[in-house]
């Protein structure tokens, strides 16, 4: 398990800096292939998250660490510091971090999903992140992914946690800026979930929850008028080793499609198209290559108005699939 966690952490780092893009994309994408910035410390990183913690208009970088304190590198006028200005007071096995303004004060707070320990939130006090969490969950699960989203439509952010080792996924509701410590929602199924992501799959104005599962079918829990179903309405036909999922409208039809990052030599990366609010169960697009992919992210890298797909791979070159079609994703 530790090796797999290291694999995921390395991949998450690589996807944010992209590393070396595919050779054919080099002439189109003005992205350097060697990093301009490196941190001074070398921990076992599991996830990176950008957010403007101090409200100065530039993005700072939070880092989730396994078996070490979580860190924050401040951005000083466009230059990222190499030594963290902030570190958490405790050293947990943190699988993921996510920024969100939990109390509505205009400053981003930092959630951390921990394995075998309570999940926590570090509050932001006027642009300064506390090192000791003000909020801890009462449960201690094997959480590897956390995601903020307003599931009940009341105007504040709720916190989803994806749990692995055959444990149920959970959502902690936010009531007026105060996050509950015992989750109000639990999935009926107990899968090996490595990633969760909010997205409105059917266009009804409510956020649905996607879960990427390792060695099992991926799921989407639909939101019915602010109430999340406990059994998934959608599951993929395939059961791949999914470590990352990301929502994005790849074909520009106004509906969110779902990309899945699959790890291992037998699994290709996939995109499940959304047909008028209904997600297909078999992927319309799969990569030609197989790799140890642990994360995917959508972004218009070449500025042509459509979303391209980046994939972060462990032990291999990271890749970029350019979107060259008006109707489907293609390499």
């Amino acid at each position: 398990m530790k090796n797999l966690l290291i694999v995921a952490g390395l991949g998450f780092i690589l996807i944010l800096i992209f590393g070396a893009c595919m050779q054919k994309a080099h002439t189109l994408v003005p992205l350097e292939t060697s990093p301009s910035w490196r941190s001074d410390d070398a921990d076992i990183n599991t996830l990176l998250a950008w957010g403007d913690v101090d409200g100065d208009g530039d993005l700072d970088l939070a880092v989730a660490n396994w078996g070490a304190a979580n860190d924050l590198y401040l951005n000083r006028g466009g230059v990222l510091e190499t030594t963290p200005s902030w570190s958490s007071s405790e050293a947990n096995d943190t699988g993921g971090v996510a920024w969100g303004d939990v109390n509505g004060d205009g400053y981003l707070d930092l959630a951390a999903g921990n394995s075998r320990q309570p999940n926590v939130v570090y509050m932001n006090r006027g642009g300064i992140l506390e090192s000791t969490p003000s909020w801890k969950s009462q449960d201690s699960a094997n959480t590897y992914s956390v995601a903020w989203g307003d599931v009940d439509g009341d105007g504040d952010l709720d916190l989803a946690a994806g749990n692995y080792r055959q444990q149920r996924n959970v959502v902690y509701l936010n009531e007026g800026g105060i996050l509950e410590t015992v989750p109000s929602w639990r999935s009926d199924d107990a899968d090996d979930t490595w990633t969760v992501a909010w997205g409105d799959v059917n266009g009804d104005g409510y956020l649905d929850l996607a879960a990427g599962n390792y060695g099992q079918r991926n799921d989407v829990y639909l939101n019915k008028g602010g109430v999340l179903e406990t059994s998934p309405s959608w599951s993929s036909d395939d059961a791949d080793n999914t470590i990352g999922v990301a929502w994005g409208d790849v074909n520009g039809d106004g509906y969110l499609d779902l990309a899945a990052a699959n790890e291992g030599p037998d699994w290709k990366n996939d995109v499940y198209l959304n047909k008028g609010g209904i997600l297909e169960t078999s992927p319309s697009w799969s990569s030609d290559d197989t790799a140890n992919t642990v994360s995917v992210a959508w972004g218009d890298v070449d500025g042509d108005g459509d979303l391209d797909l980046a994939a972060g791979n462990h032990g291999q070159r990271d890749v970029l699939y350019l979107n060259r079609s008006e109707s489907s994703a293609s390499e």
Side-chain angles (χ1 to χ4, degrees):
M1 176 59 67
K2 182 177 180 181
N3 290 336
L4 185 56
L5 293 169
I6 295 173
V7 166
L10 291 172
F12 279 123
I13 296 171
L14 291 171
I15 195 171
L16 287 177
I17 62 173
F18 281 93
C21 297
M22 293 186 305
Q23 184 65 37
K24 73 176 186 178
H26 284 174
T27 59
L28 298 175
V29 182
L31 195 67
E32 63 182 7
T33 55
S34 297
S36 294
W37 176 88
R38 295 178 187 271
S39 62
D40 291 334
D41 48 350
D43 295 320
I44 301 177
N45 310 135
T46 53
L47 188 71
L48 309 179
W50 292 104
D52 184 6
V53 67
D54 50 8
D56 63 354
D58 46 34
L59 293 176
D60 311 296
L61 184 63
V63 179
N65 293 319
W66 191 265
N70 298 318
D71 294 322
L72 174 66
Y73 300 89
L74 288 180
N75 187 333
R76 307 291 189 181
V79 179
L80 202 64
E81 62 186 4
T82 57
T83 300
S85 290
W86 174 92
S87 296
S88 60
S89 59
E90 73 282 349
N92 294 321
D93 292 337
T94 301
V97 290
W99 293 104
D101 184 5
V102 66
N103 57 357
D105 65 352
Y107 290 95
L108 291 177
D109 311 298
L110 186 65
N114 298 319
S115 180
R116 305 179 306 276
Q117 296 148 320
N119 298 320
V120 300
V121 174
Y122 304 96
M123 300 299 295
N124 188 333
R125 308 296 185 185
I128 300 175
L129 202 65
E130 62 183 6
S131 59
T132 301
S134 291
W135 179 89
K136 289 187 177 184
S137 63
Q138 291 189 28
D139 52 332
S140 297
N142 290 310
T143 300
Y144 202 80
S145 177
V146 288
W148 294 102
D150 185 6
V151 65
D152 50 7
D154 64 353
D156 47 33
L157 293 176
D158 311 297
L159 185 64
N163 298 321
Y164 65 100
R165 287 185 176 172
Q166 311 305 315
Q167 294 180 322
R168 296 160 71 185
N169 299 320
V170 301
V171 174
Y172 306 94
L173 289 182
N174 185 335
E175 302 294 347
I178 299 175
L179 203 63
E180 63 185 2
T181 57
V182 177
S184 291
W185 180 89
R186 295 178 185 270
S187 61
D188 289 336
D189 45 347
D191 294 325
D192 198 3
T193 300
W194 281 79
T195 178
V196 289
W198 293 104
D200 183 5
V201 66
N202 54 4
D204 65 352
Y206 290 95
L207 291 177
D208 311 298
L209 185 65
N213 299 320
Y214 196 88
Q216 299 160 307
R217 301 197 298 173
N218 297 322
D219 297 320
V220 173
Y221 303 90
L222 287 181
N223 188 332
K224 306 290 191 179
V227 179
L228 201 65
E229 62 184 4
T230 55
S231 295
S233 290
W234 177 90
S235 295
S236 60
D237 290 335
D238 45 349
D240 298 334
N241 293 340
T242 301
I243 296 183
V245 292
W247 293 102
D249 183 7
V250 67
N251 56 0
D253 65 352
Y255 290 95
L256 292 178
D257 311 298
L258 186 65
N262 297 317
E263 186 268 341
D266 298 326
W267 311 112
K268 298 180 177 182
N269 297 320
D270 296 321
V271 174
Y272 304 91
L273 285 181
N274 188 332
K275 304 291 190 179
I278 300 175
L279 205 63
E280 62 183 3
T281 56
S282 296
S284 287
W285 177 91
S286 295
S287 59
D288 290 335
D289 52 335
T290 60
N292 293 319
T293 303
V294 293
S295 183
V296 286
W298 294 103
D300 184 8
V301 70
D302 51 5
D304 64 352
D306 50 33
L307 293 179
D308 312 298
L309 185 65
N313 301 319
H314 170 65
Q316 297 156 310
R317 297 175 68 187
D318 300 319
V319 298
L320 175 68
Y321 305 97
L322 289 178
N323 188 337
R324 299 186 182 279
S325 171
E326 295 180 358
S327 59
S328 63
S330 61
E331 183 176 336

